[in-house]
């Protein structure tokens, strides 16, 4: 399971959108363009760019729009069962995972949490730990990202339970991933994760070399 | 009810003047993520003094679903 993390600062919006326009499915790009929040536009667009980079890096091909589809539960996928991807973004960071088997990834920046949210997401054991720890926010988002990655592996999103996510097959595990400061990240899949931090400069340079 | 729901959504997302109708899809039109959706549910619970069971969150696909749900709980 190859994981890629990328920071997409808002200052690079025009470059990022221009590149994303050339590779993203039309419907996806239209959605990006109409979002009124500049940071969300940039990270959504960067997600398309990072996915393209990741597939090329890991498997030697790009996910052009003809190769993209959605599974019955709405999970974005490639038009082949041989390769799989998952994307997550939070704040200015994008997190993409690619593998030859289904996977789920999640990244989340640490924002303020309240008791209602904590009680909704954590089970009793986790709640007890959260109340005792010196870093409850960090602990909460560690739990959140792990549970989200499981639901995304299953491709069921919030139709699944956060408090008690569905059981995973024996060969599938959840991995806590080293995340940028004030973020948590996790990945769920059937192979050991390898994490690569990528920069926009690196991706643009690679694009130039290939063209 | 739509206006109340819209105000809560705009406040939570920190984005004003969102073009929200009952047909607005929570995830694909508003681009909210799972965390924001769960936070919204928590806000609705406080605002309307209700409890939303986990199984009911999956019904919140469009804003209209939320409006209908809240109207039903108020009835």
């Amino acid at each position: 399971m190859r994981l890629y993390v990328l920071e997409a600062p808002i200052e690079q919006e025009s470059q990022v959108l221009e590149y994303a326009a050339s590779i993203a499915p039309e419907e996806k790009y239209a959605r990006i363009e109409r979002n009124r929040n500049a940071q969300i536009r940039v990270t959504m667009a960067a997600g398309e760019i990072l996915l393209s980079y990741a597939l090329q890096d890991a498997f030697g091909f790009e996910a052009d729009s003809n190769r993209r589809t959605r599974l019955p539960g709405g999970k974005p996928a490639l038009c082949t069962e041989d390769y799989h991807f998952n994307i997550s973004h939070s704040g200015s960071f994008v997190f993409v995972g690619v593998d030859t088997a289904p996977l789920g990834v999640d990244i989340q920046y640490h924002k303020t949490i309240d008791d209602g949210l904590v009680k909704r997401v954590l089970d009793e054991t986790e709640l007890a730990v959260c109340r005792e720890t010196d870093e409850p926010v960090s602990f909460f988002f560690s739990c959140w990202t792990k549970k989200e990655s499981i639901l995304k592996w299953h491709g069921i999103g919030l139709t699944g339970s956060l408090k008690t996510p569905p059981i995973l097959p024996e060969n599938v595990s959840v991995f806590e991933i080293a995340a940028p400061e004030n973020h948590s990240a996790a990945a769920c899949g059937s192979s050991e994760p390898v994490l690569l931090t990528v920069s926009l400069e690196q991706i643009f340079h690679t694009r130039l070399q290939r063209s | 009810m739509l206006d109340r729901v819209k105000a809560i959504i705009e406040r939570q997302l920190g984005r004003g003047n969102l073009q929200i109708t009952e047909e607005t899809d929570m995830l694909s039109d508003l681009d909210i993520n799972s965390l924001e959706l769960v936070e919204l549910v928590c806000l609705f619970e406080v605002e309307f003094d209700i409890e939303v069971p986990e199984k009911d969150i999956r019904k919140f696909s469009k804003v209209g679903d939320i409006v209908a749900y809240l109207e039903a709980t108020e009835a």
Side-chain angles (χ1 to χ4, degrees):
Chain A
M1 181 167 43
R2 286 175 75 87
L3 307 173
Y4 300 77
V5 70
L6 167 72
E7 185 172 16
I10 202 170
E11 295 79 22
Q12 297 194 265
E13 180 178 1
S14 59
Q15 272 184 296
V16 170
L17 259 64
E18 186 203 336
Y19 187 3
S22 68
I23 57 171
E26 210 174 291
E27 179 199 311
K28 182 63 184 279
Y29 191 74
R31 215 176 112 191
I32 292 170
E33 271 196 314
R34 67 171 180 258
N35 195 296
R36 295 176 179 208
N37 183 296
Q39 184 63 75
I40 294 176
R41 279 199 302 274
V42 175
T43 43
M44 285 175 72
E48 295 297 311
I49 292 172
L50 187 58
L51 173 61
S52 175
Y53 177 86
L55 289 171
Q56 180 68 44
D57 182 62
F59 306 126
F61 69 83
E62 287 188 29
D64 61 53
S65 52
N66 292 329
R67 298 193 195 207
R68 301 269 290 268
T69 184
R70 281 192 181 265
L71 299 179
K75 181 179 181 180
L78 296 172
C79 296
T80 169
E81 288 181 2
D82 297 335
Y83 304 104
H84 302 260
F85 75 90
N86 204 233
I87 302 177
S88 175
H89 41 76
S90 184
S92 61
F93 284 94
V94 185
F95 187 34
V96 164
V98 295
D99 202 358
T100 52
L103 71 162
V105 303
D106 194 60
I107 187 168
Q108 179 61 53
Y109 74 83
H110 296 172
K111 53 197 301 194
T112 307
I113 55 174
D114 64 31
D115 215 42
L117 178 64
V118 171
K119 283 179 183 168
R120 181 170 276 287
V121 172
L122 302 186
D123 64 28
E124 280 189 27
T125 308
E126 291 162 340
L127 207 50
V129 174
C130 192
R131 287 184 172 143
E132 291 299 312
T133 180
D134 291 335
E135 296 187 15
V137 173
S138 200
F139 177 78
F140 173 80
F141 284 111
S142 169
C143 292
W144 171 274
T145 52
K146 282 187 261 188
K147 293 179 179 209
E148 258 295 280
S149 71
I150 292 172
L151 294 181
K152 293 179 80 176
W153 182 90
H154 282 285
I156 57 178
L158 279 182
T159 58
S161 167
L162 274 165
K163 198 173 278 214
T164 48
I167 292 170
L168 291 166
E170 223 172 79
N171 64 325
V172 178
S173 301
V174 186
F175 302 90
E176 189 159 0
I177 305 299
E181 194 178 350
N182 296 323
H183 288 72
S184 292
C188 178
S190 51
S191 63
E192 285 289 321
V194 172
L195 176 67
L196 297 117
T197 301
V198 182
S199 69
L200 283 171
E201 287 69 32
Q202 198 176 335
I203 292 177
F204 292 148
H205 181 68
T206 305
R207 181 193 188 195
L208 270 174
Q209 282 188 319
R210 291 209 317 261
S211 63
Chain B
M1 180 62 77
L2 176 61
D3 287 342
R4 280 177 80 184
V5 169
K6 184 183 171 189
I8 293 169
I9 293 172
E10 287 182 344
R11 195 167 71 227
Q12 173 58 21
L13 299 185
R15 302 177 236 161
N17 296 317
L18 291 172
Q19 287 172 346
I20 294 175
T21 69
E22 294 207 359
E23 287 306 306
T24 300
D25 188 284
M26 295 297 290
L27 296 179
S28 63
D29 290 332
L30 296 180
D31 288 318
I32 68 172
N33 59 33
S34 300
L35 179 64
E36 286 169 326
L37 183 57
V38 176
E39 287 177 312
L40 271 171
V41 170
C42 293
L43 271 180
F44 292 136
E45 288 185 320
V46 169
E47 190 82 11
F48 294 93
D49 194 24
I50 57 172
E51 271 190 39
V52 181
E54 206 165 37
K55 63 175 176 59
D56 287 349
I57 298 180
R58 67 192 69 174
K59 298 176 188 171
F60 294 173
S61 175
K62 294 186 189 293
V63 171
D65 300 326
I66 300 174
V67 170
Y69 186 91
L70 294 171
E71 282 175 341
T73 56
E74 276 201 331

